Amino acid sequence: MCNDTDSSRSRHHPRLFQSFFQGSFPGSSACRSPGKRADLMINSGHDTLVDKDYALLAEHQLLSARDGVRWYLIEKEPGKYCWESFLPQLEAARKYHIQMIWELAHFGWPDGMDIWQPEFVDRFAAFGAAFARLLREQGETQPLISPMNQISFWSWAGAEIAWFNPFDTGRGYELKQQLTKAAIAAMYAIRNELPEARFVITDPLVHVAASGYSSTAKNAAQQQHEAQFEVWDWISGRSLPELGGSEELLDIIGLTWYPDHQWFHNGDPLEPHHPDYRPLHLLLRDIATRYQRPLLLAETGAEAIRCAEWLNRVCEEVRSALDMGVAVEGISLYPLVDYPSWDDDRRLPAGLFGLPDANGNRTVNEACALALRSQQIKFKQNQDREE
């Protein structure tokens, strides 16, 4: 029987990132209908307020953060890279001493390219190499890079239900392999230029339970649940070695975690009061046991009225995981800034900071900021007691 407290392991002490609590900027550049791109850096005002937004990070002691490198803007012509849209981010990160995780593809790619063709893999690898060269020329030696955001979700949304690009159905597994192959090629290309580069491989953390007690229901639930591991298994070369994966590429495992990440196999939501609901700390332990890698909650959050409550609950679960010896290295709030929802233009009041006013100033979600500060103090006190 599993001992949920697992006192046999010593508490884990996070050291990997500059700050345990982090911020993640909205970075999707998906086309939500053919020809209509939704760039959330533009929609949130972050593209023109980078300096102010990074200053807010420093002010709230979020000294590690994730931000997007917009491939579709940088490589408008094959093999020609214009870094004008990215360099202000790099400059602001240095100005405010923010440790960055740079994300190279968040549901978007350059116009005129067919995602299904070998060219997509080759151009993404070349883009990764060019980005690494730029960082090296700028004096960066050990950057943190997330090659592709949430390959599993992208594959489902883009090629299983046609929610956004590439607008296909029934091809999710095929797209998952294509995106993974591109990510692997890019990681090798990046390490060629910067051998000490580190990678954050982010995908959703989920739990799927059987709706009913039949063997058919249990098998269906198990298949859905196990699918979340495919990308990490492929990147590590544990399965589908023909994609080129290797254990050295599976570096830091990034996890997205939201209130709707547990469900029954028939699609019905699985609520926390149900006996089949699994606490987050046990799911984190499962991932750590399976891969023996450091973990980052790379995205977590809830809409504004639930933001503080959700953050407190997540922090309680993460503390339990740390007490069990699970190597959770950070919690990243997402979205850090508000934006009109990327699928229907609805304003999504979920960020720590609101949409900018006419003067480029953002309001602060005070309840969420108070919860964040309280949790920062608690984690710091725990750390000080143990040192």
Side-chain angles (χ1 to χ4, degrees):
M1 178 178 289
C2 169
N3 181 349
D4 288 354
T5 58
D6 198 1
S7 59
S8 63
R9 298 185 66 182
S10 59
R11 190 177 197 277
H12 178 73
H13 306 289
R15 293 288 187 274
L16 181 57
F17 296 105
Q18 198 164 277
S19 66
F20 184 78
F21 288 94
Q22 307 177 13
S24 187
F25 289 98
S28 173
S29 60
C31 291
R32 61 189 185 196
S33 61
K36 185 179 181 183
R37 190 181 296 276
D39 183 333
L40 295 193
M41 287 187 68
I42 294 174
N43 293 356
S44 65
H46 179 53
D47 64 323
T48 58
L49 297 174
V50 166
D51 189 87
K52 284 188 173 183
D53 287 346
Y54 282 29
L56 283 171
L57 284 171
E59 181 183 338
H60 289 263
Q61 293 300 301
L62 300 171
L63 303 180
S64 299
R66 182 189 71 172
D67 209 351
V69 182
R70 291 174 288 175
W71 184 19
Y72 87 96
L73 285 178
I74 292 167
E75 192 186 1
K76 292 184 177 181
E77 296 182 48
K80 296 182 179 179
Y81 307 106
C82 175
W83 302 103
E84 183 178 34
S85 63
F86 168 70
L87 288 175
Q89 296 166 256
L90 185 61
E91 292 165 6
R94 288 175 169 173
K95 178 179 178 181
Y96 296 105
H97 308 289
I98 308 296
Q99 177 193 41
M100 298 303 301
I101 300 170
W102 299 117
E103 184 179 75
L104 301 190
H106 193 138
F107 310 152
W109 65 91
D111 293 336
M113 182 163 48
D114 187 343
I115 196 171
W116 300 107
Q117 297 302 313
E119 178 199 12
F120 178 84
V121 174
D122 295 340
R123 279 183 59 180
F124 188 63
F127 175 61
F131 181 68
R133 282 194 297 275
L134 173 74
L135 293 183
R136 191 184 66 221
E137 291 164 1
Q138 295 289 326
E140 302 287 328
T141 58
Q142 195 181 54
L144 290 156
I145 296 173
S146 181
M148 284 196 175
N149 181 61
Q150 300 188 81
I151 289 174
S152 295
F153 177 75
W154 186 348
S155 303
W156 171 78
E160 205 59 49
I161 65 168
W163 192 14
F164 58 73
N165 52 221
F167 307 106
D168 276 300
T169 58
R171 301 182 70 182
Y173 190 73
E174 182 184 353
L175 182 59
K176 187 185 282 192
Q177 289 191 38
Q178 175 77 337
L179 295 175
T180 302
K181 188 175 182 180
I184 288 170
M187 285 188 277
Y188 282 126
I190 290 166
R191 284 258 174 94
N192 236 13
E193 300 287 342
L194 287 171
E196 294 185 60
R198 302 207 61 177
F199 301 121
V200 180
I201 314 299
T202 300
D203 241 356
L205 174 63
V206 304
H207 173 59
V208 184
S211 176
Y213 299 99
S214 69
S215 59
T216 300
K218 291 178 181 178
N219 289 337
Q222 184 69 13
Q223 287 178 6
Q224 286 189 36
H225 184 82
E226 290 292 320
Q228 72 180 298
F229 306 123
E230 288 175 338
V231 170
W232 296 312
D233 285 352
W234 297 346
I235 285 175
S236 66
R238 298 183 185 190
S239 61
L240 291 190
E242 60 269 25
L243 296 180
S246 169
E247 287 284 353
E248 68 180 21
L249 298 181
L250 190 65
D251 188 356
I252 303 161
I253 294 181
L255 305 162
T256 65
W257 178 248
Y258 292 105
D260 60 355
H261 276 206
Q262 299 204 42
W263 64 84
F264 291 103
H265 82 279
N266 65 358
D268 291 341
L270 177 56
E271 302 293 349
H273 61 267
H274 195 281
D276 287 339
Y277 189 92
R278 293 205 76 209
L280 172 60
H281 70 276
L282 297 183
L283 296 177
L284 292 170
R285 184 196 60 185
D286 292 347
I287 293 286
T289 300
R290 183 182 181 108
Y291 293 109
Q292 300 294 309
R293 297 293 194 278
L295 309 181
L296 168 66
L297 273 185
E299 287 185 20
T300 193
E303 294 202 20
I305 58 173
R306 298 182 59 195
C307 178
E309 173 196 355
W310 178 255
L311 178 59
N312 287 330
R313 189 189 311 168
V314 166
C315 288
E316 181 179 345
E317 289 289 325
V318 168
R319 267 192 294 273
S320 295
L322 291 170
D323 288 343
M324 294 164 60
V326 178
V328 184
E329 295 289 341
I331 299 172
S332 188
L333 280 64
Y334 182 90
L336 192 64
V337 296
D338 281 353
Y339 58 89
S341 182
W342 57 280
D343 63 331
D344 61 8
D345 287 329
R346 176 177 66 91
R347 180 182 175 182
L348 184 68
L352 179 60
F353 310 117
L355 287 168
D357 62 20
N359 296 315
N361 298 315
R362 299 186 187 274
T363 57
V364 177
N365 181 333
E366 295 294 349
C368 190
L370 181 60
L372 170 63
R373 186 59 186 146
S374 174
Q375 294 296 342
Q376 287 170 323
I377 291 170
K378 287 180 181 179
F379 273 79
K380 180 67 163 59
Q381 288 173 338
N382 285 340
Q383 185 181 43
D384 289 344
R385 279 197 299 268
E386 292 157 359
E387 287 182 344

